[in-house]
Amino acid sequence: MNDKYNNAQKMIYKDEDVLKLEDLSHIVNLNLDSTNIEKEIREKFPIENYGDKEDPLKIKKSKSLYDNFFKNKGNKLDIRETLDNIEYMGLSDRNEIILRFKGNSKAKDIVAKGTNKSRRDFLDLFSMAGFGTFCIKNNLKDLLKENIEQLLPQFKNKTVQFRLIEYNNKWLIRGITSDKYKNYDNNIVLYLSLLSLNNYALKERINFYVQNMSITDSEMYLSFEQENPIQIDGLGTLYFSILVVNSEIKESAVNFNLRYRIVDKNNREFMGKPKTLSHSAVSINHSVSVKTAKNRLKDLFRLKEAQEEILENIKYVKNTSQFTREALVEIMEKIVNNTTVFSSDTRTSMSKFYKEIAGNTVALIEALNRVEELSSNIDERIYIQSIIHEVLWKAAKKEKSNVTNVTS
């Protein structure tokens, strides 16, 4: 994702900046245009089962989140169509795929242009993405078109789902997925997030507030932080949060991930995100039924177990120069050597940063804060948070073991 993390919308809290339970009905509303999955979501997650409709949510800034969501909501179409009703019209001058929809669907006679990824996804329907790249590089576009036009009738009954986005009065192909893919779109994920986290907050007697958000035409990142932080002696103030991530066009999952933030007395901070810690995440694959999604969301209450485990071990993290140097060496290696996740710029910045502070005395939180800021890409920063947690977790458990051995 190209969105900048620092541009995630941070909202000013007002006393009235809280939704009522009944307001959630407007996020997934029931009307003639409602999709089957929207109807099923409202059936399996009825608002009346979660309290009185006039009850305010225990999520501050939820109204600002709601307003910003609808402000950024664009015009889009999800179409399930057989390949018999698709006409391949060729490639644009930028090698973007151009398709015409011929069927009786709501997209009839729409001509839409795709991205390079859409082109690869379309050609992959016939296992020929590599062949397509070869034809484009060697100026054999007519050969590519000839092959596609021969293959489309052969697979005419194959059903494919297309996501179209309207931009500047033109339709763009944003994604191509299988017909098994369920549209857990951003509005559904927002509805489930607010409903489930409010339920969690009521039962745990806590409050959340919307820490930040980033929403595009097809992706959403939301961070809900708990109030009432915990003081960790010799380290700083610990805050827990839940990060919600969804992509409408990737055949992946909706993820609810536990994160934590530690802030020192100088207001410097870093974030950690457990990746392998038991009960630290709830994942809902886009191919699962709404019934399965409901069962998975019950696991949100197991995040409490992960919080307690973090609390038990984080106190063994030492804010010392030696601890900082050892942690930074391992973090640097994990970033610099990972060419799959991190860009060349991020890996170079990490190397420069390590050389800059080598031999200097730097507080742990200050160092980790600077590491996190090496990238402004959301996905990279979340991955860095996972690395930070992994390294600190291993060091903390080692320190805990040493302390236990000394006292036993």
Side-chain angles (χ1 to χ4, degrees):
M1 179 175 178
N2 293 324
D3 297 69
K4 302 300 183 184
Y5 184 88
N6 288 337
N7 288 338
Q9 300 185 44
K10 296 192 176 181
M11 294 156 286
I12 299 172
Y13 174 64
K14 301 176 183 177
D15 290 340
E16 69 274 13
D17 196 0
V18 176
L19 291 175
K20 293 180 180 179
L21 195 57
E22 66 175 343
D23 295 326
L24 302 188
S25 63
H26 302 298
I27 300 174
V28 179
N29 52 27
L30 297 177
N31 53 45
L32 293 176
D33 294 324
S34 298
T35 62
N36 289 334
I37 193 170
E38 286 177 326
K39 293 172 184 175
E40 196 175 354
I41 286 289
R42 287 293 301 273
E43 179 186 333
K44 292 285 194 301
F45 296 88
I47 289 174
E48 55 269 21
N49 283 11
Y50 291 84
D52 188 277
K53 65 179 183 179
E54 292 293 323
D55 288 347
L57 299 187
K58 292 180 72 65
I59 305 172
K60 295 177 180 179
K61 306 185 186 179
S62 52
K63 188 176 185 304
S64 289
L65 169 57
Y66 174 92
D67 292 340
N68 277 281
F69 172 77
F70 281 102
K71 185 172 69 176
N72 288 291
K73 191 176 181 183
N75 193 15
K76 50 194 172 187
L77 281 176
D78 289 301
I79 307 148
R80 292 192 178 197
E81 195 63 271
T82 60
L83 292 182
D84 188 41
N85 290 320
I86 302 297
E87 179 183 353
Y88 176 76
M89 301 188 69
L91 298 172
S92 70
D93 54 1
R94 298 179 63 182
N95 296 319
E96 300 153 325
I97 194 171
I98 305 172
L99 301 178
R100 185 172 79 87
F101 296 85
K102 305 184 297 181
N104 295 317
S105 70
K106 50 192 173 184
K108 185 178 180 181
D109 293 327
I110 283 180
V111 175
K113 186 186 295 183
T115 61
N116 285 338
K117 184 182 184 307
S118 300
R119 183 192 75 221
R120 291 192 299 272
D121 290 344
F122 180 76
L123 294 176
D124 264 341
L125 296 174
F126 314 105
S127 301
M128 56 186 292
F131 175 71
T133 301
F134 171 82
C135 289
I136 290 169
K137 285 184 177 179
N138 291 279
N139 198 27
L140 297 171
K141 295 181 183 180
D142 289 341
L143 177 61
L144 177 61
K145 185 175 183 181
E146 181 183 331
N147 276 270
I148 292 173
E149 289 175 342
Q150 288 183 17
L151 287 167
L152 283 172
Q154 299 297 318
F155 295 88
K156 63 181 181 180
N157 294 322
K158 183 179 178 66
T159 302
V160 180
Q161 181 167 273
F162 296 85
R163 158 61 58 88
L164 304 185
I165 299 289
E166 190 173 30
Y167 181 74
N168 288 339
N169 297 318
K170 293 182 180 179
W171 287 102
L172 304 176
I173 303 169
R174 193 69 174 87
I176 301 174
T177 58
S178 75
D179 61 338
K180 294 180 181 179
Y181 181 88
K182 300 251 186 334
N183 290 324
Y184 285 98
D185 285 349
N186 285 342
N187 69 316
I188 289 174
V189 175
L190 179 59
Y191 177 87
L192 293 178
S193 298
L194 293 174
L195 200 62
S196 300
L197 291 180
N198 185 64
N199 191 41
Y200 179 88
L202 285 167
K203 293 185 177 179
E204 294 295 330
R205 298 185 177 182
I206 59 172
N207 287 302
F208 286 103
Y209 68 94
V210 181
Q211 185 184 25
N212 52 51
M213 63 174 264
S214 177
I215 301 175
T216 70
D217 56 52
S218 56
E219 291 183 301
M220 183 163 68
Y221 295 77
L222 306 175
S223 181
F224 300 89
E225 189 165 86
Q226 293 181 25
E227 293 188 326
N228 303 321
I230 301 160
Q231 193 65 37
I232 306 296
D233 290 342
L235 194 61
T237 308
L238 172 67
Y239 298 80
F240 284 112
S241 62
I242 294 176
L243 173 69
V244 182
V245 180
N246 184 50
S247 172
E248 296 181 349
I249 59 173
K250 294 177 184 175
E251 295 195 47
S252 53
V254 183
N255 288 302
F256 294 77
N257 297 285
L258 178 68
R259 289 197 303 184
Y260 56 90
R261 180 168 65 102
I262 294 181
V263 184
D264 69 9
K265 61 183 180 181
N266 296 313
N267 213 31
R268 295 172 300 205
E269 64 179 63
F270 75 87
M271 296 192 80
K273 174 182 167 291
K275 188 164 60 172
T276 56
L277 187 61
S278 178
H279 316 316
S280 66
V282 175
S283 185
I284 302 171
N285 195 286
H286 279 237
S287 62
V288 304
S289 67
V290 174
K291 181 180 178 181
T292 300
K294 185 172 184 177
N295 288 331
R296 296 269 172 85
L297 281 171
K298 292 176 183 176
D299 287 341
L300 275 176
F301 287 91
R302 303 191 72 181
L303 294 178
K304 184 75 174 178
E305 298 173 37
Q307 288 186 16
E308 290 170 356
E309 195 172 345
I310 289 170
L311 271 172
E312 173 63 27
N313 287 278
I314 202 73
K315 60 188 177 184
Y316 292 99
V317 171
K318 300 298 181 183
N319 198 11
T320 63
S321 299
Q322 180 63 25
F323 192 102
T324 302
R325 279 194 296 271
E326 291 176 359
L328 282 179
V329 169
E330 193 167 351
I331 290 170
M332 181 195 68
E333 290 174 350
K334 289 180 179 294
I335 293 176
V336 171
N337 295 327
N338 192 329
T339 58
T340 303
V341 173
F342 297 108
S343 67
S344 175
D345 287 346
T346 299
R347 287 182 283 116
T348 299
S349 295
M350 182 69 228
S351 295
K352 288 181 178 177
F353 169 63
Y354 183 75
K355 290 175 183 175
E356 173 192 330
I357 66 167
N360 296 327
T361 300
V362 182
L364 178 68
I365 294 179
E366 178 186 358
L368 295 181
N369 174 261
R370 291 181 64 184
V371 168
E372 211 181 325
E373 291 179 346
L374 292 174
S375 176
S376 56
N377 177 280
I378 295 182
D379 293 318
E380 285 191 354
R381 287 191 73 152
I382 292 172
Y383 203 90
I384 288 173
Q385 291 162 12
S386 296
I387 291 174
I388 287 173
H389 170 79
E390 180 185 351
V391 171
L392 292 186
W393 198 248
K394 186 170 74 173
K397 296 195 90 170
K398 180 180 176 182
E399 182 67 22
K400 180 181 178 181
S401 176
N402 291 340
V403 171
T404 302
N405 290 336
V406 168
T407 56
S408 60

